[in-house]
Amino acid sequence: MTEQLRDDPTTAPTPLARVLNFLHRAWIAELRVYSSIARAIARRPAVPEGGTGVGYHRPVLTVLFIFIGLSAVEIPILDLIVHPWPAVRIPLLILGIWGVTWMVGLLCAMLMRPHAVGPEGVRVRSGLEVDVPVGWADIASIAIARRVDEPKQPRIIGTEYAERMQDETNIEIELERLVEIRLPGLAPKGGTQRVDRIRLWADDPRAFLDAARPFLASA
C-alpha cells in the first residue's frame, strides 16, 4: 500500500507515509555522510570502472567551505560560554561536532559522488540522495544547452526532469522514449516518474559530452 501511495502522483501520501519516508531518507543521508567521508579518505569516487566522473559542485563550493568554517568556529565559542553548565555544554558539544561532520560529509558526497558517464550509461547525481541511472539504450542524444529556470521550480515538469545547480542546467539528455526514474521522496515531487528529457548541471559540460560521445557512437 505504501508503495502504491509513493508511486501514484494522483494520490496524496498519508501523514504516516510522509513520516516513514522522512525517517528513511534521514537514515540513508546519515549513512552516506560517513560513507562519503570514507571515500574521500580512501580517494575512491563513486565512478564505475571505465567511466568518467564530472563534478557539479563548483557553484556552491565556496558557500560550503564558509558554512563548515563558521560551524567549526562556533563550537569552541559556545563551549566557552556554557562551560560552567555541563548539562548544557555536553549536548551542545555533541550537536556541534555532529553538525560539522554532517557538513563535511555533504561536501565529500558532492566531491565523491559526481555525475558518472560509463559503459552502462549515465548516472545523474546530486549531494547525498540523488542517483538516477539511465542506460545508453534509452538515450537518443546529449547536448550542451545552458538554461536558467525560475527559482523553486520542481525537478519534474511534465515529462522533463531537471537536476539544477542554483537554478541552472547546461546539459540536456534527450531520451528515446518515456523512461521510468526514481527520485528521493514521495509523489508528486519524488518517487517513480516517467520522463523523456533530462537536464543537469555539470561543472565541465565539454568533458561530460566528450566522455559520452564514444558510448553514444557505439550504442
Side-chain angles (χ1 to χ4, degrees):
M1 182 67 177
T2 303
E3 195 66 24
Q4 291 176 348
L5 291 174
R6 181 181 301 168
D7 292 339
D8 185 357
T10 64
T11 305
T14 64
L16 177 60
R18 290 181 184 277
V19 171
L20 292 176
N21 182 256
F22 172 79
L23 293 175
H24 175 74
R25 291 176 66 182
W27 174 246
I28 294 299
E30 194 73 17
L31 292 178
R32 285 189 176 156
V33 161
Y34 303 109
S35 65
S36 297
I37 293 173
R39 280 189 177 277
I41 293 171
R43 297 184 180 181
R44 295 189 62 182
V47 178
E49 187 174 349
T52 302
V54 181
Y56 49 83
H57 59 272
R58 197 176 295 161
V60 296
L61 191 61
T62 301
V63 175
L64 279 174
F65 275 123
I66 290 172
F67 270 111
I68 291 170
L70 290 175
S71 298
V73 170
E74 189 179 64
I75 293 173
I77 293 175
L78 284 176
D79 187 63
L80 185 63
I81 294 171
V82 301
H83 192 79
W85 305 285
V88 177
R89 179 192 177 200
I90 293 173
L92 284 180
L93 190 61
I94 293 172
L95 187 62
I97 293 172
W98 174 81
V100 173
T101 302
W102 205 92
M103 291 298 297
V104 171
L106 175 59
L107 173 62
C108 291
M110 298 187 80
L111 297 172
M112 295 292 108
R113 301 180 71 248
H115 300 308
V117 181
E120 299 300 320
V122 173
R123 300 189 80 97
V124 180
R125 288 175 170 148
S126 182
L128 295 165
E129 285 193 298
V130 175
D131 190 348
V132 177
V134 184
W136 293 117
D138 294 322
I139 296 175
S141 65
I142 300 178
I144 297 175
R146 187 162 188 165
R147 199 165 106 187
V148 180
D149 293 330
E150 293 294 325
K152 298 183 180 180
Q153 283 202 21
R155 284 188 173 116
I156 299 292
I157 299 178
T159 58
E160 179 182 271
Y161 161 46
E163 192 59 55
R164 308 174 186 91
M165 180 58 67
Q166 294 187 332
D167 302 320
E168 291 188 45
T169 59
N170 57 11
I171 293 288
E172 186 171 288
I173 303 174
E174 290 283 349
L175 304 180
E176 294 278 6
R177 61 191 72 83
L178 283 172
V179 174
E180 284 194 354
I181 63 170
R182 179 169 286 277
L183 297 174
L186 301 176
K189 294 182 179 180
T192 300
Q193 305 285 342
R194 291 171 62 84
V195 301
D196 57 13
R197 180 184 293 109
I198 298 174
R199 294 190 294 114
L200 58 98
W201 170 269
D203 291 339
D204 189 344
R206 180 60 59 186
F208 190 101
L209 196 60
D210 290 344
R213 189 172 287 115
F215 299 108
L216 284 171
S218 60

